[in-house]
Amino acid sequence: PAQLRAATNRLQLDLQGPRLDTIASWTGDLSFEPGPFAASASLRGMDGGLALDDLVIEVGTRGTAWCRIQGSATDIADLQDGGLGAVQGLDLEMQLFTPNSANLESWLKLPLPPGFSVEGALSLQGDGRLLQPVAGHVHARSSDISLTIEPVAGEIRPTADPVASKLEAGLYLSMSDTSALSQFTEFVVPVLGEVDGTALLRQTDQGFSLQDIDLKVQDDELSITSTGSVSQLSPLGGLSLETRFAGLDLAALLTGFVDNFHYERSLGSLEGSAQLNLRSNAWSLEHVRIATSDPDGPVVLALSGSARDLSRFPATDSELRYHVRDPDFLAAFTGLHMN
């Protein structure tokens, strides 16, 4: 009250409880409930206002989702009447952890892919109505995938639903192998090598999208690059990736698809390009161009065309031209030996 706002007064505050809604008379209604909380701070009177120093808040649990906030506020004098929205001059450092990204959905009210452990640190500035990230990072890891997210813009509104909106961040991706993508698709992605990539993560009304995707696979002589975008991450939709590759070992590819394939001579490699699309829950390959790199090899291939509905009822419209110069290859491929 009025006497506490005098510049000579200081008050130490320590508070804890089983749920945040037990202090709703101070915070106002929140759009999420993280569970148990503990808080401490120093209140300091200042020329009719009330500053908050040495603030430390912990909410949630490390077994589900946990958040720690440290910082200060220049004036919380109207907190009881106006709730969190009345707090002025917030300067906060936030730490976040969860063993499973699915646990954050109830906090953020956003669709998130499950199965990732998440830890992060963010610097936020603003007031009780609107906080904006000024620095920080978030790391998300699964058994095969590692993501680093560096926010560049966004709005955090503690009393709004959803809490986070208009988020934009740089995304840096590393995967142990291309086959890790199989968990997000309706078909098996072959083992081709480690993946590194970057993209721009943007929050939309439907969830999150990826723009400016740039993926690279580099493994010995194999080189694959993919560029494009994904309009919706969860559930996955609106995907368009243009892929170019070179150095794909033809013999290794046939060994994976043809039983008991064994051929002594080198078959060389494949090179080409294609566009992978996901529209209306249907996967397709368009503008396919694949050819052998050695025009004088034992097998010369040239494939062009498209394939639709890859995961359900595949239909192709393609042209294949080939020239087999070695009967031993034909025998290895078909299992039929020529006299």
Side-chain angles (χ1 to χ4, degrees), residues 143-213:
S143 58
D144 303 300
I145 300 173
S146 175
L147 293 172
T148 297
I149 302 168
E150 296 182 354
V152 295
E155 297 181 355
I156 308 296
R157 299 180 184 271
T159 59
D161 186 6
V163 173
S165 62
K166 300 180 181 178
L167 297 179
E168 189 170 305
L171 186 149
Y172 305 88
L173 166 73
S174 177
M175 285 192 293
S176 60
D177 190 83
T178 52
S179 57
L181 290 171
S182 296
Q183 60 192 294
F184 304 109
T185 66
E186 298 177 12
F187 53 88
V188 176
V189 179
V191 175
L192 296 175
E194 294 183 8
V195 181
D196 292 299
T198 60
L200 179 64
L201 181 71
R202 280 184 177 152
Q203 185 181 4
T204 67
D205 292 339
Q206 291 75 37
F208 287 98
S209 70
L210 288 178
Q211 307 296 323
D212 303 330
I213 297 173

Side-chain angles (χ1 to χ4, degrees), residues 297-329:
V299 179
V300 178
L301 297 173
L303 173 68
S304 62
S306 61
R308 302 178 300 279
D309 209 358
L310 295 176
S311 58
R312 292 179 293 186
F313 306 102
T316 63
D317 180 10
S318 60
E319 177 185 4
L320 172 63
R321 291 182 288 112
Y322 64 92
H323 184 190
V324 179
R325 291 192 173 96
D326 186 356
D328 289 341
F329 167 79

Side-chain angles (χ1 to χ4, degrees), residues 107-119:
W107 288 26
L108 300 176
K109 300 296 179 66
L110 296 171
L112 298 173
F116 287 83
S117 66
V118 179
E119 59 180 334

